[in-house]
Amino acid sequence: GAGVSQTPSNKVTEKGKYVELRCDPISGHTALYWYRQSLGQGPEFLIYFQGTGAADDSGLPNDRFFAVRPEGSVSTLKIQRTERGDSAVYLCASSLLAVSYNEQFFGPGTRLTVL
Amino acid sequence: QQQVKQSPQSLIVQKGGIPIINCAYENTAFDYFPWYQQFPGKGPALLIAIRPDVSEKKEGRFTISFNKSAKQFSLHIMDSQPGDSATYFCAARSNYQLIWGAGTKLIIKP
């Protein structure tokens, strides 16, 4: 079956602009996660959804970042007033359940470049 | 306390050799320790994982050794091949949140 998909694969924007990054999880997966991966680093947790609700958004760096998952499937990460420091690869993952041993399946990521 | 420290940062091994990547953690609440493999332009993919009640787990050419008292775990790749060249990440999980090491860029020379 299809894996986690993310669009766009690349996004170049100018400082101060608004961007939306989309994640399509594996069908039937109730848990969805967003991570940010800077060059040469491991992914950093941003937010986790269980169903439609954000169960933990403690990793969002500031209030310019927001994510939604209105129907419990597709999720959108929204970044307002982008800054150069927001440049990174944004990874989405999903898992069947949000329990410790459930494997998280990752999408290929969206590479965001803020000029 | 939430950190996972990974070493080395990069590693070059001849084909057939056994690269070893090490990780250390502090938080005893971690209860699941996966290793991920990431190729350029791709998302991380689960390679092998271990729970802290087991000291070793082997899947094919990949082995995790786990030392609970030392809070350390390592990945060994037997009979390494050029196709194993990738970046490897260790991680530790508490509930749903994965805390990642900084990664090891592994190159297997033919």
Side-chain angles (χ1 to χ4, degrees):
Chain A
V4 177
S5 62
Q6 292 185 246
T7 54
S9 54
N10 281 284
K11 176 71 177 178
V12 180
T13 190
E14 293 180 343
K15 180 174 178 293
K17 299 289 188 182
Y18 168 83
V19 297
E20 288 189 353
L21 313 178
R22 177 187 166 109
C23 172
D24 277 271
I26 293 172
S27 177
H29 280 193
T30 63
L32 185 146
Y33 316 79
W34 283 98
Y35 293 84
R36 178 169 69 175
Q37 187 174 22
S38 299
L39 192 65
Q41 298 296 318
E44 175 189 18
F45 171 81
L46 295 177
I47 186 170
Y48 144 66
F49 288 89
Q50 177 58 49
T52 60
D56 183 353
D57 64 358
S58 62
L60 294 177
N62 52 59
D63 61 6
R64 296 187 298 104
F65 289 73
F66 189 71
V68 295
R69 194 186 185 199
E71 298 177 357
S73 179
V74 171
S75 176
T76 304
L77 178 66
K78 308 180 180 192
I79 310 174
Q80 298 177 319
R81 305 184 304 280
T82 51
E83 299 177 357
R84 292 194 180 87
D86 299 335
S87 296
V89 174
Y90 289 82
L91 293 166
C92 175
S94 70
S95 65
L96 187 59
L97 298 170
V99 295
S100 187
Y101 306 133
N102 251 215
E103 180 180 352
Q104 293 184 17
F105 294 85
F106 283 81
T110 293
R111 181 175 298 277
L112 175 66
T113 303
V114 182
L115 301 177
Chain B
Q1 199 180 17
Q2 281 289 87
Q3 280 188 318
V4 175
K5 295 183 180 179
Q6 183 172 346
S7 63
Q9 194 172 18
S10 62
L11 186 57
I12 301 174
V13 173
Q14 209 68 31
K15 177 186 171 188
I18 305 175
I20 301 172
I21 305 170
N22 300 296
C23 285
Y25 65 97
E26 288 295 324
N27 189 350
T28 55
F30 292 140
D31 61 359
Y32 176 70
F33 300 87
W35 284 89
Y36 283 83
Q37 180 187 56
Q38 187 175 31
F39 293 104
K42 304 290 186 183
L46 181 67
L47 194 60
I48 185 173
I50 197 167
R51 300 183 190 185
D53 54 349
V54 176
S55 61
E56 184 175 280
K57 183 173 181 181
K58 185 174 181 178
E59 286 184 3
R61 296 183 295 108
F62 302 92
T63 300
I64 300 178
S65 297
F66 189 86
N67 186 330
K68 188 174 181 178
S69 61
K71 298 182 198 169
Q72 295 175 346
F73 58 110
S74 60
L75 176 71
H76 297 63
I77 306 175
M78 310 301 287
D79 187 28
S80 58
Q81 301 296 315
D84 296 329
S85 298
T87 299
Y88 292 80
F89 293 95
C90 63
R93 184 165 174 172
S94 176
N95 294 316
Y96 49 82
Q97 197 173 127
L98 278 171
I99 307 299
W100 297 68
T104 296
K105 186 171 182 179
L106 174 65
I107 296 173
I108 307 297
K109 287 187 142 185

